[in-house]
Amino acid sequence: METSAYESPQTIYVRTLGGFSITVDGKEINDNSNQSKKPWSLLEYLVVFQKKDISVNELIETIWPDDPGANPGGALKTLMFRSRKLLDPLGIPPQRLLVQQRGSYAWTQDINTVMDIDQFESVCNQVLSSGGAVKDPDQLLAMCMKGLDLYKGDFLPKSEYESWVIPISTYYHSLYQKLVYKTIELLMEREDYGAITSVCQTAIGIEPFDEQFHYYLVYSLYKDNHISQAVDHYNHTLDLFYNEFSISPSEHFKELYKTIRNKEQGINTNLDSIQEALREEASSGAFYCEYPVFRDLYQLERRAIERTGDSIYLCLLTLCDLDGQVPKMNVLNRAMEHLNGAIRNSLRCSDVYTRYSVSQYIILLPTVTAEKGEMVLKRIIGNFHRQYNRRDLSVEHRLQPVLPWERKNDMEVAL
């Protein structure tokens, strides 16, 4: 009897995190090709649920949830043929990998298949469980780093909107976030801020909207004495959360920023070098600062007017649509950029302003009267409308004198 020259490989490796690929003895297929999506979808489903036989009806409902067509059974046979063709480069007869028996299909059980999600979940279970077997801190950290290395991205990203993919992806994404937190906790104990920076940068690439990842990145840069990078990333995070969610980061995050800004510079008796460090880069227009800095300047000015008697006004500019509501984000973001430019270029270089909310700026105008303050605000609004020539938005303005420190006005904007 003729024997087959084919010998079973020891292991098949399947990657699903960050992309889909199957590797056998150095030969790989992956979903980076421009081939039709459905053959890949069928292959993904059978590989992920490899431990069970899957009925024809289940596959039809999964692949064609809305309209299976007039002949779904025939369509599935055609699709199965195309999925098997994807497996040809692996050098294993495709019928040995995608097995059909008794009216069902399954991924082979004859050849050992290693899934990255199984490896990842095993690591997470060992390091995240309260009664985990791993107690040695070095071994625990090593396992955390192994788990992070396994998570190349979310589960089957090219199929992320498939109904069966969504809950699985959510589950592993949640495990990944917990693993990052655990890794940061272990690295904080060692004060290994360089490693924390690296872990957070990778984590933010995968999950850009987790505030804690951004917080620990800023913190680690600060502790590693990369002050300017820490401030830059804080500002980036501020813009990200404003633009995506119409919110600002938490007070916890803002306090970190204030700590960084107030960082002691060390002993230096050379006033020339101190002035050089304090020197502002060349710029024109009013001075824009972050809200915590603006608040400090406001409080300083409020203390000063008790002695000087100067007149200072606090101004509030609010962007809204024609119904008085916050505009849609795609409109608001562009309009706020124009309003920022109008404020900067309409004020004196000694004037200070900041972003107060997703749709508001506040300004400090020293040594002006109420009439001149109104003129300034109307000039800003006029310059804004010249830059932003659509008429679907309006800018509301309010003006109020800053009262001396001892006096209190309950109507003033809360700082």
Side-chain angles (χ1 to χ4, degrees), residues 245-263:
F245 304 113
S246 304
I247 60 173
S248 61
S250 65
E251 289 302 318
H252 179 56
F253 205 167
K254 292 177 181 178
E255 284 302 315
L256 172 60
Y257 174 80
K258 190 172 182 180
T259 299
I260 294 171
R261 279 303 195 187
N262 292 339
K263 185 180 188 301

Side-chain angles (χ1 to χ4, degrees), residues 385-400:
H385 283 301
R386 276 188 284 274
Q387 295 177 40
Y388 186 85
N389 52 22
R390 294 171 55 175
R391 298 304 176 192
D392 54 348
L393 297 182
S394 64
V395 182
E396 296 181 354
H397 68 280
R398 293 181 63 189
L399 183 70
Q400 192 171 81

Side-chain angles (χ1 to χ4, degrees), residues 273-396:
S273 68
I274 292 174
Q275 285 211 50
E276 184 63 31
L278 292 171
R279 195 185 311 275
E280 180 187 8
E281 293 183 7
S283 61
S284 60
F287 177 69
Y288 177 84
C289 59
E290 296 302 326
Y291 178 77
V293 177
F294 184 92
R295 182 176 55 195
D296 290 343
L297 292 173
Y298 169 87
Q299 292 172 356
L300 184 63
E301 292 285 1
R302 193 178 183 190
R303 288 171 179 264
I305 59 177
E306 174 66 19
R307 175 177 55 83
T308 64
D310 288 341
S311 163
I312 301 176
Y313 279 81
L314 182 67
C315 311
L316 178 67
L317 294 173
T318 303
L319 263 175
C320 56
D321 62 22
L322 299 182
D323 295 324
Q325 304 299 312
V326 175
K328 294 181 179 179
M329 289 309 301
N330 59 336
V331 175
L332 179 63
N333 292 338
R334 179 169 170 265
M336 285 295 280
E337 290 179 8
H338 285 301
L339 183 55
N340 180 41
I343 295 170
R344 183 178 61 251
N345 297 323
S346 302
L347 299 177
R348 301 165 295 188
C349 63
S350 58
D351 295 329
V352 179
Y353 72 105
T354 191
R355 191 165 179 170
Y356 185 66
S357 75
V358 65
S359 60
Q360 294 177 301
Y361 286 100
I362 47 176
I363 308 167
L364 269 182
L365 292 179
T367 62
V368 297
T369 63
E371 292 75 15
K372 287 185 177 179
E374 285 284 348
M375 290 174 57
V376 169
L377 294 183
K378 289 177 180 178
R379 181 166 69 243
I380 292 172
I381 294 170
N383 289 338
F384 165 75
H385 283 301
R386 276 188 284 274
Q387 295 177 40
Y388 186 85
N389 52 22
R390 294 171 55 175
R391 298 304 176 192
D392 54 348
L393 297 182
S394 64
V395 182
E396 296 181 354

Side-chain angles (χ1 to χ4, degrees), residues 196-212:
I196 294 173
T197 296
S198 179
V199 166
C200 289
Q201 286 173 333
T202 302
I204 288 169
I206 293 172
E207 174 46 270
F209 303 120
D210 187 306
E211 185 185 297
Q212 285 295 91

